[in-house]
Amino acid sequence: MVTVDAPVELTNFRLDYTTETIRRSLIVHADCFEMLGRIPANSIHAIVTDPPYGVKEYNFDQIEKRTNGNGGVWRIPPAFDGYNRAPLPRFTALNQKERDALYRFYREWGKLALRTLHPGGHIFIASNAFLSQLVFSALVESGLEFRGQIIRLVRTFRGGDRPKNAEDEFPGVCSMPRSGYEPWGLFRKPIPAGMTVGDCLRKFGTGGLRRVSEEQPFSDVILSERTPQRERQIANHPSLKPQSFLRKVVYAALPVGTGIIADPFMGSGSTVAAAEAVGLQCVGVERFADYYEMSKKAIPRLIAVSSEQPQIQQLFLDL
Ligand SMILES: C[S@@+](CC[C@H](N)C(=O)[O-])C[C@H]1O[C@@H](n2cnc3c(N)ncnc32)[C@H](O)[C@@H]1O
């Protein structure tokens, strides 16, 4: 069996794209739909990713609007405590046509993920309470097996507001709950008929999830934190996820501690950094040139960040 100390050759993933090797991992400047269709089938052991959720919020025109402070789907959340907020994509603004497009996007993406994963390979995919039902249904239709959700317990700035333009009339009402968690869908490429998880672990190094320790199983609730300022200063990406959370997820994603993790929507490379920080190999793919360039500098610095378990009292004090 391959061990973590013997990295897998990443040549197969370079194709004709602009790429860079960072330690034992690889980053690729490409559209992941195209790339996942071109790399060898059954070549990835797990996917850990945070995709675009309104699909369009990372279209070039929307990124430009965000940069210029010009609206689009990026809106500034209400400043309820005197602090200015960074813009968030407004998922509630999606109309039926856009919801249908979102469904098709994830059904097609799911088929590509299914093609590239080894049998038994897991997918961890970030979502939000508002769209997860739609996205997870599309992934199931693509042929992936739904294996539950990982709940990232985190206080966000979503929800909890009084009804728009009727705030004074209904001071005791909020139109949707203030969000206290982020759901991550957990999916698996079906294990071939007749094979057990043990067979799959032996043959492909997939099928299960790595325990935290021999005594402690991996849990589907993870106490988390908003991405710390020190990480934001390293990678100024609007959807940067914290190392403390990602390191736990990537560790769990490779049950025997070896193989290749892919992040097809890499952004600034936080998943690649988390994998490297726990001694694993990752292939990150990013379509937008500025974020790809950002990741080259950010990954080595994010790897070096120390991540401690956040204290639950700090996380929920102000819920
Ligand atoms: C939600 S962000 C992920 C950010 C990441 N979690 C981080 O910590 O930096 C999604 C990323 O996917 C990229 N993206 C969108 N469509 C893509 C595609 N088809 N192929 C590759 N990257 C894509 C966007 O440019 C954006 O950077």
Side-chain angles (χ1 to χ4, degrees):
M1 187 187 293
V2 184
T3 72
V4 278
D5 295 321
V8 176
E9 192 44 69
L10 292 171
T11 324
N12 282 335
F13 301 100
R14 289 185 189 280
L15 302 171
D16 45 10
Y17 298 116
T18 301
T19 63
E20 180 132 328
T21 304
I22 302 182
R23 300 200 185 176
R24 67 183 78 198
S25 295
L26 185 76
I27 56 169
V28 183
H29 179 214
D31 184 309
C32 71
F33 279 79
E34 186 191 293
M35 186 192 163
L36 291 176
R38 291 182 68 198
I39 61 175
N42 306 318
S43 56
I44 283 170
H45 299 78
I47 293 176
V48 175
T49 199
D50 168 28
Y53 262 94
V55 172
K56 65 181 185 181
E57 79 270 23
Y58 283 103
N59 286 353
F60 301 128
D61 63 322
Q62 295 289 333
I63 297 179
E64 206 171 26
K65 282 183 177 161
R66 181 185 187 277
T67 309
N68 299 335
N70 242 351
V73 289
W74 292 91
R75 302 291 160 92
I76 309 276
F80 54 85
D81 54 3
Y83 289 98
N84 289 330
R85 306 279 171 229
L88 288 172
R90 203 166 58 115
F91 301 121
T92 47
L94 298 184
N95 60 31
Q96 190 53 45
K97 211 169 136 211
E98 288 166 333
R99 288 173 70 84
D100 292 346
L102 186 73
Y103 190 90
R104 286 196 303 276
F105 179 97
Y106 282 100
R107 192 182 51 203
E108 292 317 304
W109 184 84
K111 286 181 192 162
L112 290 166
L114 201 62
R115 174 187 174 275
T116 47
L117 278 170
H118 282 289
H122 278 89
I123 300 179
F124 294 75
I125 183 164
S127 183
N128 64 68
F130 209 73
L131 292 173
S132 57
Q133 180 269 336
L134 186 73
V135 172
F136 295 175
S137 308
L139 293 178
V140 168
E141 202 195 318
S142 72
L144 289 159
E145 185 189 356
F146 181 57
R147 299 285 292 170
Q149 298 177 66
I150 308 303
I151 300 302
R152 175 182 165 217
L153 273 185
V154 59
R155 192 210 162 189
T156 70
F157 292 118
R158 290 189 193 284
D161 303 319
R162 296 193 174 85
K164 205 169 172 197
N165 301 328
E167 293 87 349
D168 296 339
E169 200 178 344
F170 299 103
V173 176
C174 50
S175 43
M176 57 190 288
R178 158 66 44 82
S179 173
Y181 75 99
E182 180 178 82
W184 282 60
L186 182 64
F187 293 85
R188 189 170 69 177
K189 176 167 174 174
I191 291 178
M195 272 183 109
T196 63
V197 171
D199 296 335
C200 208
L201 287 166
R202 269 176 233 113
K203 190 166 168 61
F204 306 112
T206 59
L209 299 169
R210 197 172 181 187
R211 299 172 76 94
V212 176
S213 66
E214 286 195 10
E215 295 71 36
Q216 195 185 340
F218 177 65
S219 164
D220 61 8
V221 178
I222 298 181
L223 299 181
S224 189
E225 61 188 329
R226 288 201 294 270
T227 307
Q229 263 312 316
R230 62 175 188 279
E231 291 173 38
R232 292 197 175 283
Q233 279 160 3
I234 293 172
N236 182 22
H237 189 289
S239 307
L240 184 70
K241 298 288 177 193
Q243 288 295 300
S244 57
F245 174 77
L246 286 176
R247 289 178 188 178
K248 292 189 177 81
V249 171
V250 291
Y251 186 87
L254 294 182
V256 296
T258 187
I260 297 178
I261 297 170
D263 181 353
F265 300 104
M266 152 179 95
S268 57
S270 54
T271 308
V272 180
E276 281 292 338
V278 299
L280 300 171
Q281 255 184 311
C282 186
V283 176
V285 188
E286 172 59 44
R287 183 181 67 163
F288 190 51
D290 290 5
Y291 293 151
Y292 173 77
E293 289 302 320
M294 180 191 288
S295 75
K296 282 197 215 168
K297 296 197 183 89
I299 292 169
R301 295 182 63 200
L302 288 172
I303 297 171
V305 159
S306 77
S307 65
E308 287 145 24
Q309 172 63 32
Q311 300 294 311
I312 187 158
Q313 293 89 333
Q314 285 172 4
L315 299 173
F316 283 88
L317 213 55
D318 50 356
L319 250 190

